[in-house]
Amino acid sequence: MMEKILFISVYFEKGGAEKVFRDTTEICRSQYKVDYFVPTVRLFRVLQLSAKLKKIQPDIIHVHNYHSPSIFIAAFFFKLLKRGKCVVVYTAHDHRIICPDSHYGRYVQGKFIPYSKPPSEWEKVIHNYSNKNSFINITKKLKWFFWYRLIRVQRQMDIILAPSNYLKKQIKQDKIGKRQDVHLLRCPSAFPDYFRVSRPKRKEALQMIFLGRLSFEKGILEFIDLLRNVKLFDYSFDIYGSGKLEQQIKSKIAEHKLDNINVKGAVRPKDIPSVIQRYDVMVLPSIWNENSPLTLIEGALGGLVLLTVNYGGSMEIAQLCGNYHLFNPSDRLQFEEALKACKRSVDEGVGRSEDNRKRIIDTFSSKNYLMNFQSILKQYKMA
């Protein structure tokens, strides 16, 4: 008899975490009886989830980046009814369970500084996690410390899955990760066959693309500032996506009369392959510690050179994919050297091999995900 698994997410469609949520529900249908829960009315999500749990009686609850304590409270009472015969799996897509702010950094004089190592308990108390006002900063801390340090709702997580070694290490070094099993499990994705070993002749100008959410943590404004005074060679930079930062980005471009930088708007997932084919370099200049950015994987499969930051999951995924160059957003000289290296890689056609394509697809394949997921569950049940 097939085990029942209930997937939980706060949203069905929003960003990368939600894409992984949707993909994993489909991947697991071959081996499990699958259902999912996304709250329709957030005020009554405990009642909604409790009703769902009672109806389908899952053997596995798989939470995707849902941090509301109500989810784990509902899971606690359901596990009591099932006499412990239910496994709660949590896939971490950011740092929320180990830090009051998911961006995993602090503000110093209005500037965001990402953590280079896990903060101590005292640092979590004194650091500023909001650039808006003190009330938001204090509220974030109080809510996080109450639920994750006093009530310790994370104890309902039997297994924690981290899509990158970087995030796995951060969780293991925190108090939260010392009780649960924390495993590396790469995010799966169904990649269309748009990778081409031979690409059409490129234009003289270096063509760069950003593809993702337009929010402060992606570092787009900082990247534009770095590009403003670049006189190394001709380039274009197209920005695809939507978000709160869109108007600010457009204003900066207009203010400095940067005709070679353009905001193109959101792109439908099915159109990504054809869009990527027009470019040379996939850019991800995040000023925070990414976990497992899918945009770098898509860029690598499209034969693009990767240009990203030298920390966090961005660096790990770039190194995993190959054909990459790294920089520190606060080091202009290092950035210019990385940009010149990208131009050389494009001119020389580096990294466009069929072997590299197959290696990346295998690493993030649905088959690998399901096999490793089942293996992790088996280890837990046998322990």
Side-chain angles (χ1 to χ4, degrees):
M1 186 176 177
M2 295 175 72
E3 287 187 300
K4 299 175 185 177
I5 181 169
L6 178 67
F7 287 89
I8 300 175
S9 176
V10 66
Y11 300 109
F12 189 79
E13 289 183 342
K14 188 179 181 183
E18 288 70 35
K19 182 182 185 302
V20 175
F21 162 72
R22 297 192 305 273
D23 286 346
T24 51
T25 58
E26 293 306 313
I27 290 166
C28 288
R29 288 188 190 280
S30 65
Q31 299 295 320
Y32 300 94
K33 189 173 181 181
V34 171
D35 206 334
Y36 69 86
F37 171 79
V38 176
T40 53
V41 182
R42 297 188 69 181
L43 185 62
F44 301 106
R45 54 195 166 195
V46 178
L47 295 176
Q48 291 178 44
L49 178 57
S50 297
K52 188 82 170 183
L53 290 169
K54 184 178 179 181
K55 179 181 178 181
I56 70 170
Q57 295 287 306
D59 303 292
I60 304 162
I61 300 172
H62 191 162
V63 184
H64 273 268
N65 215 37
Y66 202 143
H67 313 105
S68 171
S70 59
I71 296 299
F72 300 107
I73 292 170
F76 168 73
F77 285 108
F78 179 71
K79 286 171 77 174
L80 285 179
L81 291 173
K82 290 273 287 186
R83 297 181 181 178
K85 294 179 180 179
C86 178
V87 181
V88 177
V89 181
Y90 178 83
T91 292
H93 292 279
D94 63 25
H95 309 77
R96 188 71 60 90
I97 62 172
I98 59 173
C99 183
D101 187 78
S102 62
H103 295 115
Y104 208 52
R106 67 195 190 281
Y107 286 94
V108 179
Q109 296 179 343
K111 183 180 179 181
F112 180 78
I113 308 294
Y115 285 129
S116 58
K117 62 179 182 179
S120 66
E121 296 299 287
W122 176 241
E123 286 173 328
K124 289 175 185 177
V125 171
I126 64 173
H127 284 169
N128 183 13
Y129 292 119
S130 173
N131 199 30
K132 296 178 181 178
N133 57 59
S134 298
F135 176 76
I136 293 176
N137 182 45
I138 294 171
T139 302
K140 278 186 177 183
K141 293 177 184 178
L142 288 175
K143 182 179 178 181
W144 188 86
F145 273 95
F146 178 78
W147 289 111
Y148 286 96
R149 285 296 186 254
L150 184 61
I151 303 300
R152 300 188 182 185
V153 293
Q154 71 274 9
R155 287 183 173 178
Q156 301 313 310
M157 306 173 192
D158 298 306
I159 300 170
I160 298 176
L161 303 177
S164 66
N165 271 313
Y166 157 74
L167 188 56
K168 176 185 175 181
K169 181 180 178 182
Q170 303 303 304
I171 295 172
K172 289 293 288 183
Q173 288 179 338
D174 191 90
K175 285 183 178 180
I176 280 175
K178 291 181 179 179
R179 181 178 180 271
Q180 290 87 355
D181 292 327
V182 184
H183 299 268
L184 170 70
L185 185 60
R186 300 286 183 194
C187 292
S189 192
F191 300 109
D193 185 21
Y194 60 81
F195 182 90
R196 298 291 180 268
V197 175
S198 60
R199 294 166 60 84
K201 186 177 180 181
R202 311 310 301 165
K203 295 179 181 178
E204 188 65 28
L206 187 70
Q207 297 174 301
M208 298 182 287
I209 177 177
F210 168 86
L211 187 62
R213 186 173 63 251
L214 306 186
S215 50
F216 91 92
E217 69 270 13
K218 298 301 180 181
I220 305 167
L221 291 174
E222 289 80 0
F223 189 75
I224 292 173
D225 283 335
L226 286 170
L227 284 175
R228 271 174 51 195
N229 299 314
V230 168
K231 307 296 182 184
L232 303 170
F233 40 74
D234 292 335
Y235 70 87
S236 67
F237 178 44
D238 289 346
I239 302 165
Y240 287 86
S242 60
K244 296 179 180 179
L245 213 64
E246 183 172 347
Q247 193 52 54
Q248 199 172 340
I249 292 170
K250 289 179 177 178
S251 297
K252 181 178 278 287
I253 292 170
E255 178 187 350
H256 298 291
K257 299 178 181 178
L258 301 171
D259 298 332
N260 52 349
I261 301 179
N262 303 282
V263 178
K264 296 287 190 175
V267 57
R268 295 177 298 181
K270 69 175 185 178
D271 295 330
I272 289 175
S274 58
V275 169
I276 284 179
Q277 276 291 296
R278 306 171 199 163
Y279 296 90
D280 304 310
V281 180
M282 176 65 76
V283 175
L284 183 60
S286 294
I287 59 173
W288 75 311
N289 290 286
E290 295 273 358
N291 174 20
S292 180
L294 295 178
T295 185
L296 292 179
I297 304 167
E298 291 173 331
L301 283 172
L304 278 64
V305 177
L306 306 181
L307 178 61
T308 190
V309 294
N310 59 355
Y311 46 77
S314 297
M315 180 172 69
E316 179 179 332
I317 297 301
Q319 291 171 336
L320 197 62
C321 290
N323 196 21
Y324 65 92
H325 298 286
L326 307 174
F327 69 96
N328 188 319
S330 62
D331 189 329
R332 174 172 289 278
L333 182 60
Q334 190 182 93
F335 166 72
E336 291 186 355
E337 288 301 316
L339 198 60
K340 286 190 286 187
C342 283
K343 183 69 164 61
R344 288 195 299 271
S345 294
V346 170
D347 292 342
E348 296 166 6
V350 174
R352 299 172 194 164
S353 72
E354 182 67 15
D355 287 344
N356 195 49
R357 171 185 178 269
K358 288 179 179 177
R359 181 182 59 80
I360 296 170
I361 289 177
D362 183 61
T363 300
F364 299 97
S365 70
S366 301
K367 180 181 177 181
N368 255 357
Y369 177 88
L370 186 56
M371 179 181 67
N372 292 327
F373 179 67
Q374 290 180 301
S375 176
I376 291 167
L377 280 173
K378 186 177 180 180
Q379 289 175 41
Y380 173 77
K381 290 174 181 178
M382 290 177 64

